[in-house]
Amino acid sequence: MTNEPTPSSSQPVLTVRELEKSFSGKTVVSHVSFDLYPGEILALVGENGAGKSTTKNMLCGLLEPNNGTIKVKGNIVEKIDGRKHGIGAVHQELSLFDSLTVEQNICISDLPGSSTRIDWNECRAIAQQQLDSLGIDIDSEQKVESLGAGKQQIVEIAKALLHAQNVLILDEPTTSLTAPERERLFELMLRLKQQGIAMIFISHFMDEIYRMADKFVCLRDGAQVGHDSLKKVSRRELEQLMVGRTLEESKVNLAPCSANTKLTVNNLSSYYFNDISFDVRQGEVLGIAGLMGAGRTEAAEAIFGLIDSTGSVSVDGIELSQRTVQKSMQMGLCYLTEDRRSHGLFPVRSVKENLSAANILKFVSRSIKGFGFRHEKTNATQIAEQQNIMIPSIDSAVSNLSGGNQQKVLLARWLATQPNVCILDEPTKGVDIGAKFDIHNRIADLARTGVSVLLVSSDLPELLELSHRILVMRTGHIVGEFEREEFDPVKIIALAASSAYDTPTSGNTQPMSPANSPLASTL
């Protein structure tokens, strides 16, 4: 596999040679070299922490390289200025102002008018022209907070394209989008491609990479380890190039579960779902499938006591009479949120403190006046080593870690409480292939030790691989149940996507036109 640029008769819009970046004497990115041509999509791939974001930030001018050269349309650039050189980026975390309108957000970096007066009519005209050129029907006078995630992503792209005449960088643009919203984004990318806009596409989803990109640059541990046309490399070969090992070595081995019931949910109802009833056996991984809005997350939150609901939840036959987080934890439950950034981690606090947060009383000593923490650092270090969490220091802010390692910290925090029931909501959301395999194996290990797992996931292959049984939710109801020997992705998709309410609830259900289902894109 060559690292040489792909030859072309036209001039590259972006040429990168031996790009390198160091922090405090430590090299974090090295030997990055590629050519990008007009109308070409380059996939920048690698595990979390491989150096993708650092490379992106150097290319759009947020960081200055220590070594290497960058050319824009054949001209060497000493210092990248995104606006001046026509390079724009849509970052993983959107940079929109919710309380401002669409047009204000699009023009925010270069508002028209004078130093004393903004020309709002011109602002509206510029924003509308941007939206029209993208073929998007969005009211420019709407506030951004009123838009869904998909339309907010489009506004971010329109904002970036105001100055990105040459290169548009998209960093994990589909992570928070529904499948229909992804399709609209892909249609937009193809339109931009036809207009001659070159794109750098960063994604963890291999199906998206092979669908949208022409070629790839692969980073591992900060160094470029591959650059070629995607037509020349199989998906399995690219995955192995990213992680540096054979992925078959990490294949999950799911053991049989016990017949004993550990968790019982009976007639659970709330504003978001109705009459949810099921059992989870000891050592069982029970998967919950369904589309966005089916009520999966809300049901999981209600079981753990995060939202109010009626009905009953019992552990080992003992009912949680007052469903609060504290009571749930006392009964051996834990809950991994789907949104680690907003509801899971304490980003400015250290890895040590994040690992200890759910088990804090273990470290509180009242042998002296007041209280203090004993053995916290030693315990946190041991947990990080056991869970294979890659950290610069146990005292580093958790926000400095890659997404995969942040997710491992959150999971390790709960496992330190030694739970007997784990509720995991999208446990591999936004993590790379290597971290995903690690988390999958950890879930299988938990089940083998007798821990019951309730697994909520939008990743159907993940559910098929890890679950002993799968329940399907739709519009707040459980509409189907499949034992492992009955698993059929077509039938599961059909149940999740059907608008009918009288669907049979067994694994023998007949398929119902699943081709256009959002879940279909996960296969």
Side-chain angles (χ1 to χ4, degrees):
M1 194 170 301
T2 178
N3 280 319
E4 291 301 315
T6 303
S8 174
S9 58
S10 63
Q11 183 186 54
V13 67
L14 182 67
T15 301
V16 177
R17 292 291 181 273
E18 296 296 322
L19 206 62
E20 182 178 304
K21 182 64 183 176
S22 300
F23 293 105
S24 302
K26 181 181 179 181
T27 300
V28 295
V29 169
S30 63
H31 307 301
V32 175
S33 300
F34 62 85
D35 287 344
L36 184 61
Y37 293 84
E40 191 173 52
I41 300 179
L42 170 76
L44 184 60
V45 302
E47 293 190 277
N48 289 117
K52 302 188 300 295
S53 293
T54 302
T55 300
K56 172 203 68 176
N57 289 337
M58 285 190 285
L59 296 177
C60 64
L62 294 177
L63 289 174
E64 189 172 349
N66 295 104
N67 290 299
T69 59
I70 299 175
K71 294 182 182 179
V72 178
K73 291 187 173 180
N75 299 313
I76 294 180
V77 177
E78 295 296 335
K79 188 173 182 179
I80 283 283
D81 181 327
R83 288 166 57 181
K84 178 181 177 182
H85 297 106
I87 300 174
V90 176
H91 303 280
Q92 189 170 0
E93 300 296 327
L94 299 185
S95 59
L96 301 176
F97 295 93
D98 289 347
S99 60
L100 297 184
T101 64
V102 169
E103 59 198 34
Q104 290 168 339
N105 270 281
I106 290 175
C107 297
I108 192 71
S109 63
D110 193 13
L111 289 168
S114 65
S115 59
T116 58
R117 181 179 178 275
I118 297 172
D119 188 340
W120 292 115
N121 289 329
E122 179 66 12
C123 177
R124 184 170 298 115
I126 292 172
Q128 196 60 56
Q129 182 180 15
Q130 286 296 105
L131 294 171
D132 290 344
S133 68
L134 297 176
I136 303 299
D137 183 19
I138 297 177
D139 182 358
S140 66
E141 296 184 61
Q142 272 186 286
K143 286 190 175 182
V144 162
E145 63 189 0
S146 68
L147 302 178
K151 288 189 175 180
Q152 287 188 12
Q153 189 73 269
I154 299 300
V155 172
E156 188 76 69
I157 291 173
K159 173 185 170 185
L161 284 172
L162 193 59
H163 303 289
Q165 297 87 7
N166 295 322
V167 179
L168 177 65
I169 306 174
L170 299 167
D171 187 1
E172 300 287 356
T174 64
T175 300
S176 300
L177 302 186
T178 64
E181 289 171 338
R182 289 184 189 187
E183 291 301 317
R184 286 194 288 272
L185 175 63
F186 294 153
E187 290 172 5
L188 176 56
M189 289 175 65
L190 291 176
R191 182 176 300 181
L192 294 173
K193 179 183 175 78
Q194 292 169 355
Q195 294 173 4
I197 300 293
M199 283 168 274
I200 296 175
F201 182 44
I202 303 173
S203 176
H204 287 308
F205 298 106
M206 300 300 287
D207 57 329
E208 295 181 358
I209 290 169
Y210 274 87
R211 176 179 175 181
M212 301 304 300
D214 302 297
K215 60 185 182 182
F216 73 93
V217 165
C218 181
L219 304 182
R220 187 171 69 234
D221 298 327
Q224 182 169 317
V225 294
H227 175 207
D228 216 327
S229 167
L230 281 165
K231 293 179 180 179
K232 298 180 181 180
V233 59
S234 70
R235 172 170 173 163
R236 178 62 64 183
E237 289 171 332
L238 183 55
E239 289 175 343
Q240 292 179 358
L241 189 64
M242 291 166 61
V243 301
R245 65 181 186 273
T246 303
L247 295 179
E248 283 81 1
E249 296 172 358
S250 300
K251 197 68 176 177
V252 169
N253 180 21
L254 193 64
C257 61
S258 167
N260 299 326
T261 298
K262 173 62 69 172
L263 176 71
T264 301
V265 177
N266 192 35
N267 300 124
L268 204 65
S269 297
S270 77
Y271 174 81
Y272 306 99
F273 53 85
N274 187 56
D275 197 23
I276 300 296
S277 298
F278 59 84
D279 294 332
V280 185
R281 298 180 283 243
Q282 184 175 5
E284 180 182 28
V285 180
L286 178 63
I288 307 292
L291 306 182
M292 188 176 292
R296 300 168 304 160
T297 290
E298 291 80 5
E301 290 176 338
I303 293 169
F304 192 61
L306 287 168
I307 62 175
D308 293 333
S309 62
T310 59
S312 65
V313 176
S314 302
V315 179
D316 289 326
I318 302 173
E319 183 177 347
L320 276 72
S321 55
Q322 293 180 323
R323 282 199 303 281
T324 64
V325 171
Q326 290 77 14
K327 289 286 185 181
S328 295
M329 290 177 64
Q330 289 172 11
M331 293 295 289
L333 272 69
C334 74
Y335 175 70
L336 183 80
T337 176
E338 68 169 338
D339 188 350
R340 63 175 176 265
R341 292 185 179 88
S342 300
H343 301 137
L345 297 171
F346 303 102
V348 300
R349 310 303 296 182
S350 67
V351 174
K352 174 186 67 180
E353 292 166 306
N354 272 274
L355 286 170
S356 305
N359 213 15
I360 200 70
L361 293 180
K362 177 179 178 181
F363 305 106
V364 174
S365 170
R366 300 187 183 278
S367 58
I368 57 175
K369 186 177 181 180
F371 68 92
F373 296 93
R374 300 181 61 194
H375 311 303
E376 182 188 19
K377 187 169 185 175
T378 300
N379 186 78
T381 302
Q382 290 174 347
I383 292 173
E385 291 174 352
Q386 291 168 359
Q387 302 298 328
N388 194 29
I389 303 171
M390 305 302 293
I391 53 175
S393 165
I394 201 69
D395 293 312
S396 299
V398 76
S399 58
N400 293 334
L401 304 186
S402 66
N405 283 305
Q406 287 182 9
Q407 191 74 351
K408 287 182 182 180
V409 167
L410 190 56
L411 180 59
R413 171 202 295 175
W414 284 114
L415 296 185
T417 66
Q418 298 182 323
N420 49 46
V421 177
C422 287
I423 305 171
L424 308 179
D425 194 355
E426 306 287 3
T428 60
K429 181 179 180 180
V431 306
D432 59 64
I433 294 170
K436 189 172 186 176
F437 274 108
D438 287 343
I439 292 172
H440 281 187
N441 279 293
R442 188 61 183 134
I443 292 171
D445 288 343
L446 285 171
R448 272 193 292 275
T449 61
V451 176
S452 300
V453 179
L454 188 62
L455 175 63
V456 179
S457 178
S458 299
D459 186 344
L460 187 53
E462 179 171 76
L463 289 176
L464 295 172
E465 182 175 4
L466 288 175
S467 304
H468 293 90
R469 280 187 299 149
I470 293 177
L471 301 179
V472 182
M473 286 190 68
R474 184 181 69 238
T475 60
H477 298 77
I478 292 177
V479 295
E481 178 178 346
F482 295 79
E483 294 287 346
R484 189 168 182 86
E485 60 271 15
E486 300 174 317
F487 284 179
D488 185 329
V490 174
K491 292 180 181 179
I492 292 172
I493 291 169
L495 274 175
S498 174
S499 60
Y501 285 87
D502 56 352
T503 307
T505 56
S506 76
N508 297 318
T509 308
Q510 295 299 313
M512 293 177 291
S513 304
N516 296 320
S517 163
L519 267 183
S521 65
T522 69
L523 293 175

